[in-house]
């Protein structure tokens, strides 16, 4: 046996040469896609579109159609830079789904009791289906209230998003049971708490210098950019770390693979934080100026609804309690939006209400309403670093980052220490910066302690943390890249905390909203009733006070953050309410592209669905959930739809789903179904969505739409 002398990276270089040579071959589908069939066989065309088989990527694909029938799906390597010509097996098997013999073609209704094995399905018209749904929904709303209905939704097809809000608005229900609860939702809740909604996707196509793949296998599937993009990144990064209990298809290529004990991700991440803090690898100015790290926590005082209630959350969310010190806590009439810090610079003004001529420093504030520090001018910072990010693929526009703006006027917020503060009532308390508490907690997770918990050697933990957090090129002004973390850490019981520490690590090292960092999701230039995710577009409910639903969300008694988050009900609590009527009866529901086998106890869930007075399922087939339905509605397959889509991830891709084949028989577009039911119930649906002032962003996956999303939901 001859031992190969090729390293992984030299092999990639060789493969690139071979690939370039192969690229000289003819590409007949390219011309066909652009010309619409010139030189092709009669009755054959190739449609350039975006795949929606997994509901994640917007991978560019070419669909070959012969005599009106799709016969082939393949990757579009020329125009889809984010998927780089990738076309996975799920995409290719879409043809099987579109032409499956069990596909639904007509609306159906049950004629036999649910106690019988045979539902006795009979075909009905769409008019009868709509009239029945409208009648039953109104009946349940009038008898029990809108909260007596719940709506199930998946994430597979782009247009099955109405269970996230559209159906809820129709009947005024707070109860959604969506895949969001177990798919990306925990990270969204976590980042909404502490940074910005959905700052959880790493900009993979920017090619981070140190590639950290944590609890995910994006070489198979992910958001916006994955598959071939991930494989390319794994082979071009200076360092590739894989943190995963499993051996995956790609992590055998990692420079370091740590197979930690399942469920110990949080301990490992906290140990990274400990290493970064102890070695001063965090971005000092960023941490002080743009995080709550210097905000003062009042020790020894319970936030029992008195002076230390957080007023910021009142405008859109349920009020939250806090021990963070605010101007209004220390002086009468002070703002509850001004968060206090201890400025360690001398030179105080004795006449200032927060300054006391203490030579060791004084109190100053950050104003959460204006986004400015005390005395800071409201001006646009316009100094930027260039982006020398290496290995950028063709078609990627180089990003850039603003240079860190200094404090103006100059201050130096304390990150450590204990300070005496006098509240407005005259009582004196001890206060410490948030960072001091965080650093103290992280000391419980030294590499040695984390090794005991995770099974990963202490020296490996320390080396990985230092390698990732130490910029390879400090001149860029940003770090080596973000963290590419998947769903596995948020399927653990401590999901929210896992995602919070990931978010914290990214921020403290200067990898938020940077090239190759964790950035907010794509925002688009279109939004309306015909959008791919028309969930929050109606103006009919503008006058409704949705705050009354805070404590009606099922499950909030056991999971208090649900009534703050306001995005879904706990699946288990919904099942209990159906079966017991506690805390109130739930008697009806609708399911869009979802099921009962992925959340909670499936046997109990099945029992609950069959106990409903009325249940509707809209899907491609008679799914297991359809067995409990009273009405079945047939829908379009992604190959049959013209529909825009704003991608979920950080790449900036926007998909154009172009119809490749005609929809069969009586099938209808999900968007038309929900709008038609609105009409049947006499409720207007987005007559003029533009006039409602909604942002041009996907509501459930966009940082810039969060506030409007709250107002309308």
């Amino acid at each position: 046996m001859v031992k190969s002398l090729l390293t992984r990276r030299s092999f990639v270089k060789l493969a690139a040469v071979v690939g370039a040579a192969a690229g000289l071959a003819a590409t007949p589908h390219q011309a066909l896609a652009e010309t619409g069939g010139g030189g092709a066989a009669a009755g054959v065309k190739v449609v350039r579109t975006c795949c929606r088989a997994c509901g994640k990527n917007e991978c560019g694909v070419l669909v070959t159609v012969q005599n009106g029938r799709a016969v082939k799906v393949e990757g579009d390597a020329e125009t889809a830079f984010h998927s780089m010509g990738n076309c996975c097996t799920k995409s290719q098997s879409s043809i099987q789904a579109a032409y499956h013999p069990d596909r639904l073609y007509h609306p159906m209704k049950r004629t036999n009791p649910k106690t019988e094995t045979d539902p006795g399905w009979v075909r009905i018209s769409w008019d009868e289906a709509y009239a029945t749904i409208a009648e039953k929904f109104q009946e349940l709303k009038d008898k029990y209230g809108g909260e007596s209905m719940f709506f199930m939704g998946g994430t597979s097809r782009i247009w099955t998003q109405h269970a996230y809000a559209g159906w809820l608005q129709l009947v005024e229900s707070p109860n959604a049971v969506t895949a969001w609860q177990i798919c990306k939702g925990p990270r969204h809740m976590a980042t909404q708490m502490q940074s910005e909604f959905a700052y959880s996707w790493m900009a993979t196509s920017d090619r981070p210098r140190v590639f950290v793949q944590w609890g995910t296998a994006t070489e198979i599937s992910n958001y916006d950019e994955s598959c071939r993009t991930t494989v390319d990144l794994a082979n071009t990064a200076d360092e590739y770390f894989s943190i995963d209990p499993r051996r995956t298809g790609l992590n055998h290529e990692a420079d370091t693979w740590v197979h930690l004990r399942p469920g110990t991700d949080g301990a490992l991440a906290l140990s990274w934080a400990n290493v970064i803090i102890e070695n001063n690898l965090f971005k000092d100015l960023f941490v002080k100026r743009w995080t709550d790290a210097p905000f003062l926590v009042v020790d020894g005082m319970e936030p029992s609804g008195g002076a230390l209630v957080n007023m910021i959350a009142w405008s859109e969310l349920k009020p939250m309690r806090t021990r963070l010190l605010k101007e209004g806590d220390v002086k009468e009439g002070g703002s509850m939006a001004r968060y206090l810090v201890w400025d360690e610079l001398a030179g105080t003004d004795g006449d200032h209400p927060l300054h006391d001529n203490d030579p060791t420093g004084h109190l100053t504030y950050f104003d959460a309403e204006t986004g400015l520090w005390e005395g800071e001018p409201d001006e646009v910072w316009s100094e930027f670093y260039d982006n020398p990010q290496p290995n950028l693929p063709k078609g990627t526009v180089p990003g850039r980052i603003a240079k860190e703006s200094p404090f103006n006027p100059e201050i130096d917020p304390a990150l450590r220490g204990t300070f005496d503060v006098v509240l407005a009532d005259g009582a004196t308390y001890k206060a410490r910066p948030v960072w001091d508490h965080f650093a103290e907690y992280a000391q419980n997770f030294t590499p040695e302690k984390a090794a005991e918990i995770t099974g990963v050697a202490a020296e490996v933990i320390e080396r990985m943390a230092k390698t990732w957090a130490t910029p390879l090129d400090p001149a860029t002004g940003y770090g080596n890249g973000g963290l590419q973390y998947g769903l596995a850490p948020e399927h653990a019981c401590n999901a929210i905390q896992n995602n919070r520490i990931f978010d914290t690590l990214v921020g403290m090292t200067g990898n938020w909203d940077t090239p190759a960092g964790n950035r907010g999701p794509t925002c688009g230039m279109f939004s309306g009733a015909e959008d791919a995710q028309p969930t929050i577009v109606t103006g009919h409910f503008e006058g409704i006070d949705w705050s009354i639903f805070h404590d009606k969300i099922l499950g909030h008694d056991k999971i208090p953050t649900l009534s703050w988050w306001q995005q879904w009900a706990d699946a288990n609590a919904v099942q209990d309410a159906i079966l017991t009527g506690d805390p109130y009866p739930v008697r009806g529901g609708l399911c869009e592209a979802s099921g009962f086998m992925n959340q909670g106890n499936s046997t109990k869930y099945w029992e609950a669905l069959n106990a409903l007075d009325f249940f509707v399922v809209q899907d491609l087939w008679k799914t297991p959930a359809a067995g409990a339905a009273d009405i079945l509605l047939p829908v379009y397959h992604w190959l049959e739809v013209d529909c825009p889509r704003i991608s979920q991830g950080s790449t900036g891709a926007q998909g154009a789903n172009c119809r490749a084949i005609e929809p069969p028989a009586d099938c209808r577009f999900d968007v038309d179904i929900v709008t038609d039911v609105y009409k049947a119930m006499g409720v207007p649906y987005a007559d003029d969505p533009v006039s409602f002032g909604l942002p041009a962003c996907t509501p459930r996956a966009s940082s810039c739409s969060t506030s409007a999303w709250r107002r309308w939901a």
Side-chain angles (χ1 to χ4, degrees):
M1 178 182 294
V2 179
K3 183 177 180 180
S4 173
L5 298 179
L6 282 176
T7 65
R8 170 164 58 89
R9 290 183 172 84
S10 62
F11 174 79
V12 171
K13 292 178 180 178
L14 176 62
V17 175
V18 174
L24 299 176
T27 53
H29 292 302
Q30 174 183 335
L32 184 58
E34 293 176 351
T35 63
V44 176
K45 65 177 181 178
V46 174
V47 178
R48 173 168 279 132
T49 182
C50 291
C51 177
R52 294 300 311 152
C54 77
K56 300 293 187 292
N57 288 333
E58 276 68 61
C59 289
V61 295
L62 303 174
V63 180
T64 302
V65 180
Q66 185 173 11
N67 296 323
R69 186 180 180 89
V71 296
K72 184 179 182 181
V73 180
E74 58 189 323
D76 178 4
E78 176 160 350
T79 62
F81 72 94
H82 58 299
S83 54
M84 299 177 65
N86 179 75
C87 185
C88 72
T89 54
K90 182 178 286 189
S91 177
Q92 296 173 51
S93 65
S94 293
I95 295 174
Q96 299 176 35
Y99 299 115
H100 198 282
D102 291 336
R103 187 168 174 190
L104 283 170
Y105 292 118
H106 308 281
M108 312 285 282
K109 74 174 181 180
R110 173 186 294 274
T111 59
N112 291 334
K114 294 185 181 180
T115 54
E116 296 190 18
T117 303
D118 180 12
W121 297 116
V122 297
R123 176 179 171 180
I124 58 174
S125 67
W126 277 102
D127 287 343
E128 181 179 350
Y130 290 148
T132 302
I133 294 170
E135 177 186 355
K136 292 295 185 180
F137 278 9
Q138 192 64 55
E139 179 183 309
L140 291 172
K141 182 180 178 182
D142 292 343
K143 187 174 182 178
Y144 302 107
E147 64 269 24
S148 67
M149 285 171 275
F150 80 105
F151 298 91
M152 300 167 60
T155 61
S156 182
R157 305 188 312 276
I158 51 177
W159 41 91
T160 58
Q161 303 298 310
H162 306 90
Y164 290 75
W167 288 116
L168 304 178
Q169 289 183 153
L170 174 62
V171 301
E172 299 175 32
S173 170
N175 295 316
V177 178
T178 65
W180 205 5
Q181 183 174 346
I182 57 172
C183 177
K184 308 183 303 296
R187 71 181 61 198
H188 290 163
M189 183 186 288
T191 54
Q192 178 77 344
M193 286 180 178
Q194 63 180 53
S195 59
E196 181 54 90
F197 182 66
Y199 263 50
S200 55
W201 286 290
M202 186 183 75
T204 314
S205 60
D206 287 355
R207 300 298 192 270
R209 299 290 298 273
V210 177
F211 176 33
V212 180
Q213 193 178 35
W214 199 313
T216 185
T218 55
E219 65 273 12
I220 300 173
S221 176
N222 197 44
Y223 316 102
D224 219 16
E225 44 198 351
S226 68
C227 303
R228 192 163 297 169
T229 302
T230 297
V231 174
D232 185 56
L233 168 57
N235 286 289
T236 57
D238 292 72
E239 291 278 346
Y240 168 27
F241 297 150
S242 173
I243 301 170
D244 201 313
R246 309 161 302 164
R247 171 66 80 184
T248 69
L250 184 63
N251 69 11
H252 65 278
E253 297 281 4
D255 295 290
T256 303
W257 166 47
V258 295
H259 42 93
L260 75 172
R261 294 189 182 102
T264 63
D265 303 86
L268 181 60
L270 281 164
S271 187
W272 279 32
N274 174 262
V275 172
I276 291 167
I277 292 172
E278 293 300 316
N279 290 275
N280 291 314
L281 296 175
F282 58 90
K283 299 277 285 187
D284 183 76
L285 179 58
F286 182 84
V287 165
K288 290 179 177 179
R289 181 151 165 64
W290 295 110
T291 78
D292 68 352
F295 292 5
L296 294 175
V297 179
V298 179
D299 291 330
M301 181 176 184
E302 289 298 322
S304 55
L308 301 186
V309 169
N310 184 355
M311 304 293 288
I312 295 298
W314 281 26
S315 62
E316 296 172 357
L317 306 173
K318 185 176 181 179
M320 300 180 71
R321 297 185 300 174
T322 181
R323 286 187 291 147
L324 293 176
L325 189 66
K326 299 172 292 299
E327 184 186 57
D329 298 322
V330 300
K331 73 184 189 76
E332 295 293 338
S335 170
M336 300 301 283
R338 291 177 176 175
Y339 288 84
L340 301 187
V341 306
W342 186 262
D343 180 8
E344 296 190 301
L345 295 183
T348 61
D349 180 359
D351 296 328
H352 192 285
L354 297 177
H355 299 176
D356 57 5
N357 281 324
D358 187 336
T360 64
H362 60 270
L363 291 172
T364 186
Y365 62 77
F366 173 80
D367 193 323
E369 288 187 330
T370 65
L372 300 172
W373 289 87
E374 182 182 14
E376 186 175 39
D378 188 1
E379 59 187 12
V380 177
W381 187 252
S382 58
E383 294 186 27
F384 293 87
Y385 292 103
D386 292 328
N387 176 26
Q389 198 72 22
N391 305 314
L392 288 177
K394 179 182 178 181
T396 301
V397 178
R400 65 175 185 169
I401 184 173
K403 292 185 177 180
E404 292 175 321
S405 54
F407 284 104
N408 180 24
E410 186 179 2
I411 64 172
D412 186 19
L415 293 179
R416 310 296 285 264
T418 301
F419 311 97
D420 289 331
V421 295
V422 180
L423 300 192
D425 60 4
T428 300
Y429 289 90
K430 299 292 183 182
R432 295 166 59 202
V434 169
W435 186 262
D436 207 20
H437 285 272
F438 176 56
E440 180 181 68
Y441 182 70
Q443 287 175 359
N444 297 314
F445 298 91
T446 63
E448 291 73 23
K449 181 60 178 178
E452 298 175 13
I453 300 171
T454 66
V456 180
E459 59 271 18
V460 174
I461 295 175
E462 184 171 3
R463 177 173 55 80
M464 293 176 72
K466 287 182 176 179
T467 301
W468 176 69
T470 305
L472 288 168
D473 185 359
T476 64
Y478 49 86
N480 295 324
L483 297 176
Q484 188 189 72
Y485 57 97
L487 299 184
E490 61 186 51
H491 285 170
C493 294
N494 54 346
I496 301 296
Q497 297 298 76
N498 284 343
N499 286 278
R500 289 184 69 193
I501 186 57
F502 290 151
D503 195 53
T504 300
L505 285 172
V506 168
M508 63 194 282
T509 55
N511 287 296
W512 266 343
D513 200 22
T514 60
N518 288 74
R519 299 209 301 263
T522 296
C523 289
M525 300 307 295
F526 53 85
S527 183
E530 74 288 351
D531 197 339
Q533 291 182 302
T535 51
I536 306 298
V537 292
T538 71
H540 179 71
F541 301 108
E542 183 175 3
I544 290 179
D545 179 11
W546 282 82
S547 64
I548 65 175
F549 292 102
H550 287 158
D551 293 331
K552 285 191 175 183
I553 295 175
L554 290 169
H556 81 91
D557 52 334
K558 293 183 179 179
I559 311 172
T561 48
L562 289 181
S563 58
W564 166 80
W565 176 238
Q566 302 173 34
Q567 305 298 328
W568 63 70
D570 177 57
N572 295 290
V574 170
Q575 297 165 33
D576 290 337
I578 296 171
L579 295 172
T580 68
D582 185 30
Y584 53 77
V586 173
R587 305 308 313 152
L590 180 144
C591 175
E592 278 188 331
S594 186
F596 63 89
M597 302 177 71
N598 61 357
Q599 295 185 51
N601 184 310
S602 58
T603 301
K604 182 179 177 181
Y605 211 158
W606 173 248
E607 180 184 355
L609 293 181
N610 280 280
L612 293 169
D613 295 341
F614 185 66
F615 186 51
V616 180
V617 170
Q618 56 187 76
D619 216 315
L620 292 165
W621 311 282
K622 294 176 183 176
T623 64
D630 297 285
I631 297 285
L632 298 181
L633 304 177
V635 298
Y636 286 0
H637 185 274
W638 71 264
L639 286 168
E640 301 156 2
V641 169
D642 282 313
C643 191
R645 163 74 177 196
I646 305 169
S647 292
Q648 297 185 61
S650 295
T651 291
Q654 298 184 42
N657 204 186
C658 302
R659 175 177 288 180
I661 57 176
E662 292 300 311
D666 254 354
C667 295
R668 289 195 178 178
F669 190 29
D670 295 77
V671 176
D672 292 333
I673 293 173
V674 70
T675 53
D676 286 345
V677 173
Y678 265 72
K679 186 183 300 183
M681 293 187 69
V683 178
Y685 186 91
D687 295 328
D688 183 14
V690 176
S691 68
F692 302 148
L694 294 173
C697 301
T698 306
R700 60 176 294 267
S702 175
S703 58
C704 65
S705 69
T706 301
S707 58
W709 160 231
R710 301 290 182 183
R711 287 196 296 274
W712 291 93

